[in-house]
Each structure stands twice: as structure tokens, then as C-alpha cells.
Amino acid sequence: MGEEDVDRSEGFGERLLGLLLDRARLLPPQLIAPLVSEGVARIGGRDVSILLQDYAQELLVPLPSRKLHVSQPESIIDSPAGQAFLRGGVVEVPQSPSGVRMYLPLLDGSDTVGVMALTLDAVGDDDRRLLSRLSSLVADLLVTKNAYTDQFFQARRREPMSVSAEIQWSLLPPTSMSVPQVEVAGILEPAYSIAGDSFDYALNDNILHAAVIDAMGHGLDAATMATVAIGAYRHARRVCISLAEKYAIMDDAISRQFGPDHFVTAQLMHVNIATGEMQLVNAGHPAPLLIRDGRVVQQLESATTLPVGFGGEEPRIREHVLRQGDRVLCYTDGIIEEHVDGGEQFGEKRLIRCVNHLGEEPARGLRSDLRRLSHTLKGERNGRTSDDATLFMIEWRGGTADHLAIVD
């Protein structure tokens, strides 16, 4: 491309974004990447790649498409693309003999769906501003058009996936969410054969509603039960207020649909993100861990409540008050009941030791720290995950989001 063909003016950038927006509504999914690549070329960019997070949350894998540069998958933990993904910020890497490789996070709200990478001969502030806006638009297009195609799913899938796992992944909310007062992140294992484990959350005004469930059994039976449990939870969340009512509606749905011999363990939580007040119902799960300053300070015990589906009495709600910076780690029994060398169960003590060990290292953000914990636990269990295993973490930061308001 000749230098005369490159236009980096502010006006051109606005026209480019306007063109993409004008075309976005009717743009077929397979034309997103070529159109973006052509737009980047207009400002002198080349070798454009769109990298999406794989389902195991270990790699960023290239989206194959016309006019895209398709390279090898990149590690989320230790690559420039991974740094951009985890930090939610642009990473620039000088190239030899010249040029700069830019990695821009594809942010859907606060959830990072992937990374856009490209190379420029030189990078100025106007380029950074334009490309950051472009990456936001690309993220929106990928999320919106994902409902119309299997191409993005197929790119993210690194190995065969069971039917039960397909069901579970279709149920999940974004695996992370961040606002100024609170952040959440979750991981499901094994990603390609998960069945009965799931989590869900919603932020309604100042209340974070969250649930972690584990349906008994394996395969499609467990996935079907988890689907009903999450559906009942969402229904209850949208029409009720109290945790006790949520529990009762879920309990009724499971018992009516599956009978008395089936059950779902669950943790149901309300967190007031303005005050840090937390309400907890624990129906058969291991107690969540309260992490403060990088160390586990206690298990958040609650009154005994029967698992969902057993027709238990109205649950007693346990209340806790979080401090700014506190994290709450929820996990299912697949984490601690995995057998390690010698036949011994992994156990809560080993889990707490792993959490505390990671707490000795500098914090890198909730998503990054949870992913590191997941990898550490896999290593401690010799890579074995014979049962579904879920990690779900909440970090309460407090404060307000008033500074984000638009002021006339």
C-alpha cells in the first residue's frame, strides 16, 4: 500500500466507523472480518487477526476468515494477546525491523470476548483512539452476530464437545462481569464435557444476585436438571425478592419435574454492592471461602439447608458483611473430592493452601487470578477432573459509579 492511500485523520476515522455502523445491521457474520480488515488497511494496518477465547479459557484462537491473518493460538497466561485480554487494555509490541504489533481487547461491556491484533508502521494517539473505538464495535458485532452463526463457536472449540456441555455453555451468562463496585468471574471444568454444574448472576440496581449449582448425576440427565434449575432460578429472580422464595421455586420445579430421588445442590447469594452486605443460602454445597488481603480468613458457613428438590423447609438465611477488596470463592465438590495420588481426596485444606499461595503473588485482577487458581488446582490434581468442577468468585470493591454518569 502506498503512503498516499493511508488516511489517519480524525475525520476519516469517524467516516470509517460510521461506514461500519451503517453496514452493521445487515452485515452477514462471515463478512465482519473482511470489512474490518479493509478498514484497518485504510489507515495503513496489516496482518489483522481476531482472536477468541477458547472454551477451556486457556488459549486465544484465531478466527479463520477471508483477509484475516491466521496464526497459531496464543496462551492467555503468557502472551501479549493474553495480557491485552486479561487487563482489558491495549498492548503494543515493537516489531523487527520496523513496525508495531497492537493487541486490542474486544470488550463487550466489561466482558472480554477476545483480542484484535494488527500491525502498523508507526502508532500515534489518533491511531490508538480510532482503533480502540473500532475494537469496541467489532466486539459488539461478534456478540450480536454470534446468535446467527456457528462459526464463532466452532473457532472457540478446540476439541469435541459433548451434548451436555453444549447445553451448559448455551445457558451461561458471560464468564466475567465488572463494574466499579463489584466484579465476578467463573470457570467450568472440564469445559468440553461439563454436565451438571453451572452458575448464573444478574446485577439489578444495587443487588448482585448470584447462584452456583451442581445437579446430581452425569451427562444429559444432569444437564437437563441443571437447565431446569437455572430456568427456575431466573424466573424466581425476576418475580421475587428473597432468597427463601428463590429456593422454594427452584425446589418445587426440580421435585415436580424429576421426582423425589433427584436433587441439585446450590448456593444462592445477594450482595448489596453499595454496602457490602451479603445474604447466603447454602443448600448442600461446600461453604464459600472469604479471601481478604490474598488469604482465606474463614469459611462462610450457614444454617443447614436441604438440596433443591428434597422439599426442605424454608431456609435460614445467613448474613455477612464484606470489607472493600474482599473476595468470596464458591466452588463445587468436584474441586475437593477429586482423588489424588494414593487415593486421598484433594480436600479443602489443599484448596485453601493453593488460594493462600497465589495470594502471596501480586494481584493481577479477578479474572486473571481465578484462571491462575484453576490452573494451579489442575496441576495439583495431576490434570484430573473426573467430576464437574466449578469456581465462581465475587470481589466487592464498594464505592459508587457516579463518575460514569453523563453530565450536561
Side-chain angles (χ1 to χ4, degrees):
M1 172 179 292
E3 202 164 305
E4 66 276 7
D5 296 319
V6 177
D7 190 340
R8 301 189 180 188
S9 67
E10 184 91 20
F12 172 76
E14 292 177 357
R15 292 194 301 275
L16 173 61
L17 293 174
L19 175 64
L20 290 171
L21 283 169
D22 289 340
R23 295 184 179 180
R25 184 174 63 87
L26 298 177
L27 189 67
Q30 70 271 19
L31 294 185
I32 294 174
L35 188 61
V36 170
S37 182
E38 290 171 8
V40 170
R42 294 290 299 275
I43 62 169
R46 61 186 182 276
D47 296 336
V48 180
S49 297
I50 293 177
L51 306 167
L52 303 178
Q53 178 182 224
D54 80 318
Y55 281 97
Q57 300 191 42
E58 295 177 347
L59 298 171
L60 291 167
V61 296
L63 176 67
S65 182
R66 287 190 300 113
K67 299 191 177 182
L68 283 185
H69 174 69
V70 178
S71 57
Q72 294 298 312
E74 300 198 31
S75 167
I76 290 178
I77 293 295
D78 55 6
S79 71
Q83 292 178 33
F85 180 87
L86 292 173
R87 297 175 185 173
V90 180
V91 173
E92 299 179 11
V93 180
Q95 302 293 286
S96 178
S98 64
V100 177
R101 187 71 173 164
M102 297 185 70
Y103 299 89
L104 299 107
L106 298 173
L107 293 167
D108 172 42
S110 58
D111 184 36
T112 312
V113 298
V115 171
M116 182 172 70
L118 57 98
T119 300
L120 288 172
D121 290 334
V123 181
D125 289 341
D126 287 344
D127 300 314
R128 295 184 179 96
R129 186 161 44 249
L130 171 61
L131 291 170
S132 292
R133 292 171 178 172
L134 177 61
S135 66
S136 295
L137 177 56
V138 172
D140 288 343
L141 287 172
L142 290 173
V143 171
T144 301
K145 304 298 182 179
N146 183 58
Y148 309 153
T149 184
D150 292 325
Q151 291 177 321
F152 307 151
F153 173 90
Q154 291 166 330
R156 296 178 61 196
R157 186 178 60 189
R158 301 292 297 161
E159 59 185 81
M161 183 176 283
S162 68
V163 174
S164 58
E166 295 249 15
I167 292 171
Q168 286 298 72
W169 280 104
S170 70
L171 274 178
L172 281 182
T175 54
S176 65
M177 177 200 72
S178 179
V179 296
Q181 302 99 319
V182 72
E183 184 172 0
V184 302
I187 291 178
L188 297 180
E189 303 171 1
Y192 293 96
S193 57
I194 194 79
D197 277 20
S198 193
F199 61 83
D200 196 40
Y201 62 84
L203 181 58
N204 298 332
D205 293 326
N206 277 340
I207 303 300
L208 173 69
H209 305 252
V212 180
I213 69 161
D214 181 2
M216 64 167 285
H218 302 279
L220 275 176
D221 287 343
T224 302
M225 207 180 321
T227 301
V228 173
I230 290 294
Y233 170 72
R234 289 174 177 169
H235 169 74
R237 189 180 69 211
R238 291 161 183 166
V239 300
C240 299
I241 297 175
S242 73
L243 288 179
E245 289 174 297
K246 289 184 174 73
Y247 172 86
I249 288 177
M250 294 171 68
D251 183 79
D252 182 67
I254 294 298
S255 62
R256 284 177 179 271
Q257 183 66 32
F258 300 100
D261 297 329
H262 293 73
F263 65 90
V264 176
T265 61
Q267 282 170 349
L268 310 177
M269 292 159 281
H270 285 175
V271 178
N272 187 316
I273 65 170
T275 66
E277 296 170 307
M278 175 180 176
Q279 294 181 326
L280 171 67
V281 167
N282 194 345
H285 262 315
L289 303 179
L290 176 62
I291 303 169
R292 181 170 292 156
D293 299 325
R295 297 189 63 82
V296 176
V297 295
Q298 71 177 97
Q299 294 178 300
L300 297 178
E301 301 288 353
S302 59
T304 301
T305 300
L306 288 175
V308 170
F310 278 164
E313 298 178 354
E314 180 176 326
R316 293 174 58 188
I317 297 170
R318 184 68 181 269
E319 297 187 352
H320 303 274
V321 179
L322 304 178
R323 298 182 188 176
Q324 287 189 334
D326 278 355
R327 291 176 170 179
V328 176
L329 175 64
C330 303
Y331 57 96
T332 56
D333 58 13
I335 295 287
I336 58 175
E337 293 182 359
E338 185 67 57
H339 291 275
V340 293
D341 293 339
E344 183 182 6
Q345 286 192 340
F346 186 77
E348 292 177 345
K349 289 184 179 179
R350 280 192 178 92
L351 170 61
I352 292 172
R353 187 185 69 228
C354 290
V355 173
N356 290 340
H357 177 70
L358 286 177
E360 296 170 0
E361 303 176 13
R364 303 180 186 177
L366 188 73
R367 286 179 301 165
S368 179
D369 291 346
L370 187 66
R371 189 173 281 104
R372 286 192 299 145
L373 176 60
S374 174
H375 290 177
T376 298
L377 293 174
K378 284 180 185 176
E380 290 280 324
R381 302 192 315 262
N382 298 317
R384 289 196 296 266
T385 306
S386 58
D387 189 14
D388 295 351
T390 296
L391 296 170
F392 181 77
M393 190 179 288
I394 300 170
E395 180 180 295
W396 182 64
R397 300 166 179 164
T400 68
D402 292 344
H403 65 287
L404 297 178
I406 298 175
V407 179
D408 292 334

